[in-house]
Amino acid sequence: MSKKWYPVINSETCIECGACIEKCSHGVYGKNVTQPAVINPDGCIDGCRGCQKLCPTESIDYVGDVGQESSCNCNCTCI
Ligand code: SF4
Ligand code: SF4
């Protein structure tokens, strides 16, 4: 089954602040870079909007976004 929820970055509006990369503790973004790259979409928690909420330029959308809440039950504080 293919992954149905993961972030997509709008590179036109992203200012490469790194907030999303720093925020995610699920290994979705590549580290040690300033331009966010989704290298592990499978790691993204369905419904999590942790990085989106921090983005100062509203450059993060999600594949599969129909307004659902996070299904994450861990203590990562992404939400
Ligand atoms: S939505 Fe949550 S789990 Fe997915 S990349 Fe952003 S912070 Fe990580
Ligand atoms: S938080 Fe937003 S502006 Fe900052 S690097 Fe991520 S996508 Fe770009």
Short mmCIF file of all heavy atoms in Angstrom, two decimals:
data_model
loop_
_atom_site.label_atom_id
_atom_site.label_comp_id
_atom_site.label_asym_id
_atom_site.label_seq_id
_atom_site.Cartn_x
_atom_site.Cartn_y
_atom_site.Cartn_z
N MET A 1 0.85 -1.19 0.00
CA MET A 1 0.00 0.00 0.00
C MET A 1 0.89 1.24 0.00
O MET A 1 1.81 1.35 0.80
CB MET A 1 -0.91 -0.02 1.23
CG MET A 1 -1.97 1.06 1.18
SD MET A 1 -3.19 0.89 2.52
CE MET A 1 -2.22 1.41 3.92
N SER A 2 0.61 2.16 -0.88
CA SER A 2 1.45 3.34 -0.95
C SER A 2 1.07 4.33 0.15
O SER A 2 -0.07 4.38 0.60
CB SER A 2 1.31 4.00 -2.31
OG SER A 2 -0.02 4.39 -2.54
N LYS A 3 2.03 5.09 0.55
CA LYS A 3 1.84 6.07 1.61
C LYS A 3 0.83 7.13 1.17
O LYS A 3 0.89 7.64 0.07
CB LYS A 3 3.19 6.72 1.92
CG LYS A 3 3.17 7.73 3.03
CD LYS A 3 2.93 7.09 4.36
CE LYS A 3 3.06 8.14 5.47
NZ LYS A 3 2.35 7.74 6.67
N LYS A 4 -0.09 7.47 2.09
CA LYS A 4 -1.17 8.38 1.72
C LYS A 4 -1.09 9.74 2.41
O LYS A 4 -1.97 10.57 2.24
CB LYS A 4 -2.52 7.74 2.02
CG LYS A 4 -2.84 6.55 1.13
CD LYS A 4 -4.32 6.20 1.19
CE LYS A 4 -4.72 5.19 0.14
NZ LYS A 4 -4.06 3.90 0.30
N TRP A 5 -0.07 9.96 3.22
CA TRP A 5 0.07 11.25 3.91
C TRP A 5 1.55 11.58 4.07
O TRP A 5 2.27 10.85 4.74
CB TRP A 5 -0.59 11.19 5.29
CG TRP A 5 -0.48 12.48 6.09
CD1 TRP A 5 0.59 12.88 6.85
CD2 TRP A 5 -1.45 13.51 6.19
NE1 TRP A 5 0.32 14.10 7.42
CE2 TRP A 5 -0.92 14.51 7.03
CE3 TRP A 5 -2.72 13.70 5.64
CZ2 TRP A 5 -1.61 15.68 7.35
CZ3 TRP A 5 -3.41 14.85 5.96
CH2 TRP A 5 -2.87 15.83 6.80
N TYR A 6 1.96 12.63 3.45
CA TYR A 6 3.34 13.10 3.64
C TYR A 6 3.44 14.53 3.10
O TYR A 6 2.61 14.96 2.29
CB TYR A 6 4.36 12.17 2.95
CG TYR A 6 4.13 11.94 1.48
CD1 TYR A 6 4.71 12.78 0.53
CD2 TYR A 6 3.33 10.89 1.04
CE1 TYR A 6 4.50 12.56 -0.82
CE2 TYR A 6 3.11 10.66 -0.31
CZ TYR A 6 3.71 11.50 -1.23
OH TYR A 6 3.49 11.28 -2.56
N PRO A 7 4.43 15.28 3.59
CA PRO A 7 4.51 16.69 3.21
C PRO A 7 5.07 16.90 1.81
O PRO A 7 5.87 16.11 1.31
CB PRO A 7 5.47 17.26 4.26
CG PRO A 7 6.31 16.12 4.68
CD PRO A 7 5.45 14.89 4.57
N VAL A 8 4.60 17.98 1.24
CA VAL A 8 5.12 18.44 -0.05
C VAL A 8 5.49 19.90 0.14
O VAL A 8 4.69 20.70 0.62
CB VAL A 8 4.06 18.30 -1.15
CG1 VAL A 8 4.60 18.84 -2.48
CG2 VAL A 8 3.63 16.85 -1.31
N ILE A 9 6.72 20.23 -0.22
CA ILE A 9 7.22 21.59 -0.01
C ILE A 9 7.07 22.42 -1.28
O ILE A 9 7.43 21.98 -2.37
CB ILE A 9 8.73 21.56 0.37
CG1 ILE A 9 8.99 20.57 1.50
CG2 ILE A 9 9.22 22.96 0.71
CD1 ILE A 9 8.24 20.87 2.77
N ASN A 10 6.56 23.62 -1.10
CA ASN A 10 6.50 24.56 -2.22
C ASN A 10 7.82 25.32 -2.26
O ASN A 10 8.07 26.23 -1.47
CB ASN A 10 5.33 25.53 -2.02
CG ASN A 10 5.19 26.48 -3.20
OD1 ASN A 10 6.10 26.64 -4.00
ND2 ASN A 10 4.04 27.11 -3.30
N SER A 11 8.68 24.92 -3.16
CA SER A 11 10.01 25.52 -3.22
C SER A 11 9.98 26.97 -3.72
O SER A 11 10.95 27.70 -3.58
CB SER A 11 10.92 24.68 -4.12
OG SER A 11 10.38 24.59 -5.42
N GLU A 12 8.86 27.37 -4.27
CA GLU A 12 8.73 28.75 -4.75
C GLU A 12 8.61 29.72 -3.58
O GLU A 12 9.05 30.86 -3.67
CB GLU A 12 7.49 28.88 -5.62
CG GLU A 12 7.44 27.91 -6.77
CD GLU A 12 7.82 28.56 -8.09
OE1 GLU A 12 7.33 29.66 -8.35
OE2 GLU A 12 8.60 27.95 -8.83
N THR A 13 7.99 29.26 -2.50
CA THR A 13 7.75 30.16 -1.36
C THR A 13 8.62 29.83 -0.15
O THR A 13 8.74 30.64 0.77
CB THR A 13 6.26 30.12 -0.94
OG1 THR A 13 5.91 28.76 -0.67
CG2 THR A 13 5.36 30.65 -2.06
N CYS A 14 9.21 28.65 -0.11
CA CYS A 14 10.07 28.25 1.00
C CYS A 14 11.28 29.18 1.09
O CYS A 14 11.92 29.48 0.08
CB CYS A 14 10.56 26.81 0.79
SG CYS A 14 11.81 26.28 1.98
N ILE A 15 11.55 29.66 2.32
CA ILE A 15 12.69 30.55 2.53
C ILE A 15 13.86 29.81 3.18
O ILE A 15 14.83 30.42 3.63
CB ILE A 15 12.30 31.76 3.40
CG1 ILE A 15 11.74 31.30 4.76
CG2 ILE A 15 11.29 32.64 2.66
CD1 ILE A 15 11.51 32.45 5.75
N GLU A 16 13.74 28.48 3.25
CA GLU A 16 14.81 27.61 3.75
C GLU A 16 15.22 27.97 5.17
O GLU A 16 16.40 28.04 5.49
CB GLU A 16 16.01 27.62 2.80
CG GLU A 16 15.63 27.14 1.40
CD GLU A 16 16.81 27.04 0.45
OE1 GLU A 16 17.96 27.09 0.93
OE2 GLU A 16 16.57 26.88 -0.75
N CYS A 17 14.21 28.19 6.02
CA CYS A 17 14.50 28.53 7.41
C CYS A 17 14.92 27.31 8.22
O CYS A 17 15.53 27.44 9.28
CB CYS A 17 13.28 29.19 8.05
SG CYS A 17 11.91 28.05 8.37
N GLY A 18 14.56 26.13 7.75
CA GLY A 18 14.96 24.89 8.42
C GLY A 18 14.05 24.44 9.54
O GLY A 18 14.30 23.42 10.18
N ALA A 19 12.99 25.19 9.81
CA ALA A 19 12.11 24.85 10.94
C ALA A 19 11.48 23.47 10.78
O ALA A 19 11.37 22.71 11.75
CB ALA A 19 11.03 25.91 11.09
N CYS A 20 11.05 23.14 9.60
CA CYS A 20 10.42 21.84 9.38
C CYS A 20 11.42 20.71 9.57
O CYS A 20 11.09 19.68 10.17
CB CYS A 20 9.80 21.80 7.98
SG CYS A 20 10.96 22.18 6.64
N ILE A 21 12.62 20.92 9.09
CA ILE A 21 13.66 19.89 9.20
C ILE A 21 14.00 19.65 10.67
O ILE A 21 14.11 18.51 11.13
CB ILE A 21 14.92 20.33 8.43
CG1 ILE A 21 14.59 20.52 6.96
CG2 ILE A 21 16.06 19.34 8.63
CD1 ILE A 21 15.66 21.22 6.16
N GLU A 22 14.12 20.74 11.42
CA GLU A 22 14.45 20.64 12.83
C GLU A 22 13.31 20.01 13.62
O GLU A 22 13.53 19.25 14.56
CB GLU A 22 14.76 22.03 13.37
CG GLU A 22 15.32 22.05 14.77
CD GLU A 22 15.72 23.44 15.20
OE1 GLU A 22 16.00 24.29 14.35
OE2 GLU A 22 15.73 23.68 16.41
N LYS A 23 12.09 20.32 13.24
CA LYS A 23 10.92 19.87 13.99
C LYS A 23 10.70 18.37 13.90
O LYS A 23 10.41 17.70 14.90
CB LYS A 23 9.68 20.59 13.47
CG LYS A 23 8.37 20.14 14.10
CD LYS A 23 8.33 20.50 15.56
CE LYS A 23 7.02 20.06 16.21
NZ LYS A 23 7.02 20.35 17.64
N CYS A 24 10.81 17.82 12.74
CA CYS A 24 10.40 16.44 12.54
C CYS A 24 11.37 15.46 13.18
O CYS A 24 12.55 15.45 12.87
CB CYS A 24 10.26 16.13 11.05
SG CYS A 24 9.62 14.45 10.81
N SER A 25 10.84 14.63 14.05
CA SER A 25 11.65 13.61 14.71
C SER A 25 11.38 12.23 14.13
O SER A 25 11.71 11.22 14.75
CB SER A 25 11.35 13.62 16.22
OG SER A 25 9.97 13.43 16.46
N HIS A 26 10.77 12.21 12.96
CA HIS A 26 10.42 10.93 12.34
C HIS A 26 11.23 10.64 11.07
O HIS A 26 10.87 9.76 10.30
CB HIS A 26 8.93 10.90 12.04
CG HIS A 26 8.09 10.92 13.28
ND1 HIS A 26 7.77 9.78 14.00
CD2 HIS A 26 7.53 11.95 13.95
CE1 HIS A 26 7.05 10.12 15.05
NE2 HIS A 26 6.88 11.43 15.05
N GLY A 27 12.28 11.42 10.87
CA GLY A 27 13.20 11.13 9.77
C GLY A 27 12.63 11.37 8.39
O GLY A 27 13.13 10.80 7.41
N VAL A 28 11.63 12.21 8.31
CA VAL A 28 11.01 12.46 7.00
C VAL A 28 11.89 13.35 6.13
O VAL A 28 12.02 13.12 4.92
CB VAL A 28 9.61 13.10 7.18
CG1 VAL A 28 9.00 13.47 5.84
CG2 VAL A 28 8.70 12.14 7.94
N TYR A 29 12.51 14.32 6.77
CA TYR A 29 13.36 15.26 6.02
C TYR A 29 14.83 14.87 6.13
O TYR A 29 15.28 14.40 7.17
CB TYR A 29 13.20 16.67 6.58
CG TYR A 29 11.84 17.26 6.39
CD1 TYR A 29 10.95 17.33 7.46
CD2 TYR A 29 11.43 17.76 5.16
CE1 TYR A 29 9.68 17.87 7.30
CE2 TYR A 29 10.16 18.31 4.99
CZ TYR A 29 9.30 18.36 6.06
OH TYR A 29 8.04 18.90 5.89
N GLY A 30 15.56 15.14 5.08
CA GLY A 30 17.00 14.98 5.14
C GLY A 30 17.57 16.01 6.10
O GLY A 30 17.08 17.13 6.18
N LYS A 31 18.61 15.63 6.84
CA LYS A 31 19.23 16.53 7.80
C LYS A 31 20.45 17.19 7.20
O LYS A 31 20.94 16.82 6.14
CB LYS A 31 19.63 15.75 9.06
CG LYS A 31 18.45 15.10 9.79
CD LYS A 31 17.55 16.15 10.43
CE LYS A 31 16.45 15.49 11.27
NZ LYS A 31 15.52 16.48 11.86
N ASN A 32 20.96 18.18 7.92
CA ASN A 32 22.19 18.89 7.53
C ASN A 32 22.08 19.57 6.17
O ASN A 32 23.05 19.65 5.42
CB ASN A 32 23.39 17.93 7.54
CG ASN A 32 23.58 17.28 8.90
OD1 ASN A 32 23.50 17.93 9.93
ND2 ASN A 32 23.79 15.98 8.90
N VAL A 33 20.89 20.04 5.88
CA VAL A 33 20.67 20.84 4.67
C VAL A 33 19.76 22.00 5.06
O VAL A 33 19.10 21.97 6.09
CB VAL A 33 19.99 20.02 3.55
CG1 VAL A 33 20.94 18.94 3.03
CG2 VAL A 33 18.68 19.40 4.04
N THR A 34 19.71 23.02 4.25
CA THR A 34 18.81 24.13 4.53
C THR A 34 17.54 24.03 3.69
O THR A 34 16.49 24.50 4.09
CB THR A 34 19.48 25.49 4.24
OG1 THR A 34 19.96 25.48 2.90
CG2 THR A 34 20.61 25.75 5.21
N GLN A 35 17.67 23.41 2.53
CA GLN A 35 16.49 23.24 1.68
C GLN A 35 15.82 21.93 2.04
O GLN A 35 16.44 20.86 1.94
CB GLN A 35 16.91 23.22 0.21
CG GLN A 35 15.73 23.18 -0.74
CD GLN A 35 16.17 23.30 -2.19
OE1 GLN A 35 17.35 23.12 -2.52
NE2 GLN A 35 15.24 23.61 -3.06
N PRO A 36 14.56 21.97 2.51
CA PRO A 36 13.91 20.74 2.92
C PRO A 36 13.70 19.76 1.78
O PRO A 36 13.26 20.13 0.70
CB PRO A 36 12.57 21.22 3.49
CG PRO A 36 12.34 22.55 2.89
CD PRO A 36 13.69 23.15 2.64
N ALA A 37 14.04 18.51 2.06
CA ALA A 37 13.85 17.45 1.08
C ALA A 37 13.17 16.27 1.79
O ALA A 37 13.65 15.80 2.82
CB ALA A 37 15.19 17.00 0.52
N VAL A 38 12.05 15.86 1.26
CA VAL A 38 11.32 14.73 1.84
C VAL A 38 11.98 13.45 1.34
O VAL A 38 11.77 13.01 0.22
CB VAL A 38 9.83 14.78 1.43
CG1 VAL A 38 9.08 13.58 1.99
CG2 VAL A 38 9.19 16.08 1.93
N ILE A 39 12.78 12.85 2.22
CA ILE A 39 13.54 11.66 1.82
C ILE A 39 12.89 10.38 2.31
O ILE A 39 13.24 9.30 1.86
CB ILE A 39 15.00 11.72 2.31
CG1 ILE A 39 15.05 11.77 3.84
CG2 ILE A 39 15.73 12.92 1.71
CD1 ILE A 39 16.44 11.51 4.41
N ASN A 40 11.99 10.52 3.29
CA ASN A 40 11.37 9.32 3.87
C ASN A 40 9.88 9.56 4.12
O ASN A 40 9.45 9.67 5.28
CB ASN A 40 12.09 8.94 5.17
CG ASN A 40 11.50 7.71 5.83
OD1 ASN A 40 10.95 6.83 5.16
ND2 ASN A 40 11.57 7.65 7.14
N PRO A 41 9.09 9.67 3.08
CA PRO A 41 7.66 9.94 3.27
C PRO A 41 6.97 8.88 4.12
O PRO A 41 6.00 9.19 4.82
CB PRO A 41 7.11 9.96 1.84
CG PRO A 41 8.14 9.30 0.99
CD PRO A 41 9.45 9.56 1.67
N ASP A 42 7.48 7.65 4.10
CA ASP A 42 6.86 6.58 4.90
C ASP A 42 6.94 6.86 6.39
O ASP A 42 6.17 6.32 7.17
CB ASP A 42 7.54 5.24 4.61
CG ASP A 42 7.15 4.69 3.25
OD1 ASP A 42 6.24 5.25 2.62
OD2 ASP A 42 7.77 3.70 2.82
N GLY A 43 7.88 7.72 6.81
CA GLY A 43 8.03 8.01 8.23
C GLY A 43 7.02 9.02 8.74
O GLY A 43 6.83 9.16 9.95
N CYS A 44 6.36 9.72 7.85
CA CYS A 44 5.42 10.76 8.26
C CYS A 44 4.18 10.13 8.91
O CYS A 44 3.67 9.12 8.44
CB CYS A 44 5.01 11.59 7.06
SG CYS A 44 4.03 13.04 7.47
N ILE A 45 3.74 10.76 10.00
CA ILE A 45 2.59 10.27 10.75
C ILE A 45 1.30 10.79 10.13
O ILE A 45 1.14 12.01 9.97
CB ILE A 45 2.67 10.74 12.22
CG1 ILE A 45 3.99 10.33 12.86
CG2 ILE A 45 1.48 10.21 13.01
CD1 ILE A 45 4.26 8.85 12.90
N ASP A 46 0.42 9.90 9.81
CA ASP A 46 -0.84 10.29 9.18
C ASP A 46 -1.55 11.38 9.99
O ASP A 46 -1.79 11.20 11.18
CB ASP A 46 -1.78 9.09 9.04
CG ASP A 46 -1.31 8.09 8.00
OD1 ASP A 46 -0.38 8.43 7.23
OD2 ASP A 46 -1.87 6.98 7.94
N GLY A 47 -1.85 12.48 9.35
CA GLY A 47 -2.58 13.55 10.00
C GLY A 47 -1.73 14.53 10.79
O GLY A 47 -2.23 15.54 11.26
N CYS A 48 -0.44 14.23 10.96
CA CYS A 48 0.44 15.16 11.68
C CYS A 48 0.63 16.42 10.87
O CYS A 48 0.78 16.37 9.64
CB CYS A 48 1.80 14.51 11.96
SG CYS A 48 2.96 15.63 12.82
N ARG A 49 0.61 17.57 11.55
CA ARG A 49 0.83 18.86 10.88
C ARG A 49 1.91 19.66 11.60
O ARG A 49 1.94 20.89 11.54
CB ARG A 49 -0.47 19.66 10.87
CG ARG A 49 -1.60 18.99 10.09
CD ARG A 49 -2.90 19.76 10.21
NE ARG A 49 -3.99 19.01 9.61
CZ ARG A 49 -4.28 19.06 8.30
NH1 ARG A 49 -3.57 19.82 7.50
NH2 ARG A 49 -5.27 18.34 7.81
N GLY A 50 2.77 18.93 12.30
CA GLY A 50 3.79 19.59 13.12
C GLY A 50 4.64 20.56 12.34
O GLY A 50 4.86 21.70 12.76
N CYS A 51 5.14 20.13 11.22
CA CYS A 51 6.02 21.01 10.45
C CYS A 51 5.22 22.11 9.75
O CYS A 51 5.66 23.25 9.67
CB CYS A 51 6.87 20.21 9.48
SG CYS A 51 5.95 19.09 8.41
N GLN A 52 4.05 21.76 9.29
CA GLN A 52 3.21 22.75 8.60
C GLN A 52 2.90 23.93 9.53
O GLN A 52 2.92 25.09 9.12
CB GLN A 52 1.92 22.11 8.12
CG GLN A 52 1.02 23.04 7.33
CD GLN A 52 -0.33 22.40 7.02
OE1 GLN A 52 -1.03 21.96 7.92
NE2 GLN A 52 -0.66 22.31 5.74
N LYS A 53 2.61 23.61 10.79
CA LYS A 53 2.23 24.66 11.73
C LYS A 53 3.39 25.62 12.02
O LYS A 53 3.17 26.75 12.41
CB LYS A 53 1.74 24.03 13.04
CG LYS A 53 0.35 23.41 12.89
CD LYS A 53 -0.10 22.76 14.19
CE LYS A 53 -1.50 22.19 14.04
NZ LYS A 53 -1.92 21.43 15.23
N LEU A 54 4.61 25.14 11.86
CA LEU A 54 5.77 25.98 12.14
C LEU A 54 6.23 26.79 10.94
O LEU A 54 6.98 27.74 11.08
CB LEU A 54 6.94 25.11 12.60
CG LEU A 54 6.87 24.55 14.00
CD1 LEU A 54 8.10 23.69 14.25
CD2 LEU A 54 6.79 25.66 15.02
N CYS A 55 5.77 26.42 9.79
CA CYS A 55 6.29 27.06 8.57
C CYS A 55 5.82 28.51 8.49
O CYS A 55 4.63 28.79 8.47
CB CYS A 55 5.83 26.29 7.34
SG CYS A 55 6.45 27.04 5.80
N PRO A 56 6.76 29.45 8.42
CA PRO A 56 6.40 30.87 8.41
C PRO A 56 5.82 31.34 7.08
O PRO A 56 5.28 32.45 7.00
CB PRO A 56 7.72 31.58 8.71
CG PRO A 56 8.77 30.64 8.19
CD PRO A 56 8.21 29.25 8.43
N THR A 57 5.96 30.53 6.05
CA THR A 57 5.51 30.98 4.72
C THR A 57 4.42 30.07 4.13
O THR A 57 4.12 30.17 2.94
CB THR A 57 6.70 31.02 3.74
OG1 THR A 57 7.31 29.72 3.68
CG2 THR A 57 7.74 32.04 4.19
N GLU A 58 3.87 29.21 4.98
CA GLU A 58 2.79 28.31 4.54
C GLU A 58 3.17 27.55 3.27
O GLU A 58 2.42 27.47 2.31
CB GLU A 58 1.49 29.10 4.33
CG GLU A 58 1.01 29.77 5.61
CD GLU A 58 -0.32 30.51 5.44
OE1 GLU A 58 -0.82 30.61 4.31
OE2 GLU A 58 -0.86 30.97 6.47
N SER A 59 4.37 27.01 3.31
CA SER A 59 4.91 26.32 2.14
C SER A 59 4.74 24.81 2.19
O SER A 59 5.25 24.11 1.32
CB SER A 59 6.41 26.65 2.00
OG SER A 59 6.59 28.03 1.81
N ILE A 60 4.04 24.31 3.23
CA ILE A 60 3.92 22.86 3.38
C ILE A 60 2.46 22.43 3.24
O ILE A 60 1.60 22.89 3.98
CB ILE A 60 4.47 22.39 4.74
CG1 ILE A 60 5.94 22.81 4.88
CG2 ILE A 60 4.32 20.88 4.88
CD1 ILE A 60 6.56 22.47 6.23
N ASP A 61 2.24 21.56 2.30
CA ASP A 61 0.94 20.91 2.14
C ASP A 61 1.17 19.41 2.28
O ASP A 61 2.32 18.94 2.31
CB ASP A 61 0.33 21.22 0.77
CG ASP A 61 -0.12 22.67 0.67
OD1 ASP A 61 -0.77 23.15 1.61
OD2 ASP A 61 0.21 23.31 -0.34
N TYR A 62 0.07 18.65 2.35
CA TYR A 62 0.20 17.20 2.51
C TYR A 62 -0.54 16.46 1.41
O TYR A 62 -1.70 16.79 1.11
CB TYR A 62 -0.34 16.75 3.87
CG TYR A 62 0.43 17.35 5.01
CD1 TYR A 62 0.01 18.51 5.63
CD2 TYR A 62 1.63 16.77 5.44
CE1 TYR A 62 0.74 19.09 6.66
CE2 TYR A 62 2.37 17.34 6.46
CZ TYR A 62 1.92 18.50 7.06
OH TYR A 62 2.66 19.07 8.06
N VAL A 63 0.11 15.49 0.90
CA VAL A 63 -0.59 14.55 0.04
C VAL A 63 -1.64 13.84 0.90
O VAL A 63 -1.34 13.43 2.02
CB VAL A 63 0.40 13.51 -0.54
CG1 VAL A 63 -0.33 12.35 -1.19
CG2 VAL A 63 1.34 14.17 -1.52
N GLY A 64 -2.85 13.78 0.42
CA GLY A 64 -3.91 13.08 1.15
C GLY A 64 -4.64 13.93 2.15
O GLY A 64 -5.45 13.42 2.92
N ASP A 65 -4.40 15.25 2.16
CA ASP A 65 -5.00 16.11 3.17
C ASP A 65 -6.48 16.38 2.88
O ASP A 65 -6.82 17.06 1.92
CB ASP A 65 -4.24 17.43 3.22
CG ASP A 65 -4.69 18.31 4.38
OD1 ASP A 65 -5.59 17.90 5.13
OD2 ASP A 65 -4.13 19.40 4.53
N VAL A 66 -7.33 15.82 3.76
CA VAL A 66 -8.76 16.14 3.68
C VAL A 66 -9.24 16.66 5.03
O VAL A 66 -10.40 16.53 5.38
CB VAL A 66 -9.60 14.93 3.22
CG1 VAL A 66 -9.33 14.58 1.77
CG2 VAL A 66 -9.36 13.72 4.12
N GLY A 67 -8.31 17.23 5.81
CA GLY A 67 -8.68 17.87 7.05
C GLY A 67 -8.69 16.98 8.27
O GLY A 67 -9.18 17.37 9.33
N GLN A 68 -8.10 15.78 8.18
CA GLN A 68 -8.14 14.86 9.32
C GLN A 68 -7.16 15.25 10.42
O GLN A 68 -6.22 15.99 10.20
CB GLN A 68 -7.86 13.42 8.86
CG GLN A 68 -6.50 13.18 8.24
CD GLN A 68 -6.49 13.34 6.74
OE1 GLN A 68 -6.99 14.32 6.23
NE2 GLN A 68 -5.91 12.39 6.04
N GLU A 69 -7.39 14.70 11.61
CA GLU A 69 -6.52 14.93 12.75
C GLU A 69 -5.39 13.90 12.75
O GLU A 69 -5.47 12.87 12.10
CB GLU A 69 -7.32 14.83 14.05
CG GLU A 69 -8.40 15.88 14.20
CD GLU A 69 -7.83 17.29 14.31
OE1 GLU A 69 -6.79 17.43 14.99
OE2 GLU A 69 -8.40 18.22 13.73
N SER A 70 -4.37 14.20 13.56
CA SER A 70 -3.24 13.30 13.64
C SER A 70 -3.60 11.96 14.26
O SER A 70 -4.39 11.89 15.20
CB SER A 70 -2.12 13.92 14.46
OG SER A 70 -1.07 13.00 14.62
N SER A 71 -2.99 10.91 13.76
CA SER A 71 -3.18 9.57 14.33
C SER A 71 -2.00 9.21 15.22
O SER A 71 -1.90 8.08 15.70
CB SER A 71 -3.30 8.54 13.21
OG SER A 71 -2.12 8.52 12.44
N CYS A 72 -1.11 10.17 15.45
CA CYS A 72 0.10 9.89 16.21
C CYS A 72 -0.20 9.75 17.70
O CYS A 72 -0.84 10.59 18.29
CB CYS A 72 1.12 11.00 16.01
SG CYS A 72 2.70 10.69 16.81
N ASN A 73 0.30 8.67 18.30
CA ASN A 73 0.10 8.45 19.73
C ASN A 73 1.41 8.47 20.50
O ASN A 73 1.44 8.14 21.68
CB ASN A 73 -0.60 7.11 19.96
CG ASN A 73 -2.02 7.12 19.44
OD1 ASN A 73 -2.76 8.07 19.68
ND2 ASN A 73 -2.39 6.09 18.71
N CYS A 74 2.49 8.81 19.85
CA CYS A 74 3.77 8.83 20.55
C CYS A 74 3.97 10.17 21.23
O CYS A 74 3.10 11.04 21.21
CB CYS A 74 4.92 8.53 19.60
SG CYS A 74 5.40 9.92 18.55
N ASN A 75 5.10 10.37 21.85
CA ASN A 75 5.34 11.60 22.60
C ASN A 75 6.28 12.56 21.86
O ASN A 75 7.06 13.26 22.47
CB ASN A 75 5.95 11.24 23.96
CG ASN A 75 4.99 10.46 24.80
OD1 ASN A 75 3.80 10.80 24.86
ND2 ASN A 75 5.47 9.42 25.44
N CYS A 76 6.17 12.57 20.56
CA CYS A 76 7.12 13.35 19.77
C CYS A 76 6.81 14.84 19.80
O CYS A 76 7.60 15.65 19.39
CB CYS A 76 7.13 12.86 18.33
SG CYS A 76 5.57 13.12 17.46
N THR A 77 5.64 15.24 20.26
CA THR A 77 5.20 16.63 20.31
C THR A 77 5.18 17.31 18.95
O THR A 77 5.32 18.52 18.85
CB THR A 77 6.04 17.49 21.30
OG1 THR A 77 7.36 17.66 20.77
CG2 THR A 77 6.11 16.84 22.66
N CYS A 78 5.06 16.55 17.90
CA CYS A 78 4.98 17.14 16.57
C CYS A 78 3.73 17.99 16.41
O CYS A 78 3.73 18.98 15.70
CB CYS A 78 4.93 16.05 15.50
SG CYS A 78 6.54 15.39 15.09
N ILE A 79 2.67 17.59 17.05
CA ILE A 79 1.39 18.22 16.82
C ILE A 79 1.36 19.58 17.47
O ILE A 79 0.97 20.54 16.92
CB ILE A 79 0.24 17.36 17.39
CG1 ILE A 79 0.36 15.95 16.81
CG2 ILE A 79 -1.12 17.96 17.07
CD1 ILE A 79 -0.45 14.92 17.57
S1 SF4 B 1 3.90 16.15 9.47
FE1 SF4 B 1 4.87 15.52 11.40
S2 SF4 B 1 5.77 13.50 11.00
FE2 SF4 B 1 5.26 14.44 9.00
S3 SF4 B 1 7.13 15.46 8.34
FE3 SF4 B 1 5.93 17.01 9.46
S4 SF4 B 1 6.61 16.91 11.62
FE4 SF4 B 1 7.32 15.04 10.54
S1 SF4 B 2 9.47 25.61 7.60
FE1 SF4 B 2 8.63 26.31 5.63
S2 SF4 B 2 9.97 28.01 5.01
FE2 SF4 B 2 11.03 26.87 6.61
S3 SF4 B 2 12.33 25.39 5.49
FE3 SF4 B 2 10.40 24.34 5.98
S4 SF4 B 2 9.08 24.66 4.18
FE4 SF4 B 2 10.76 26.13 4.05
#
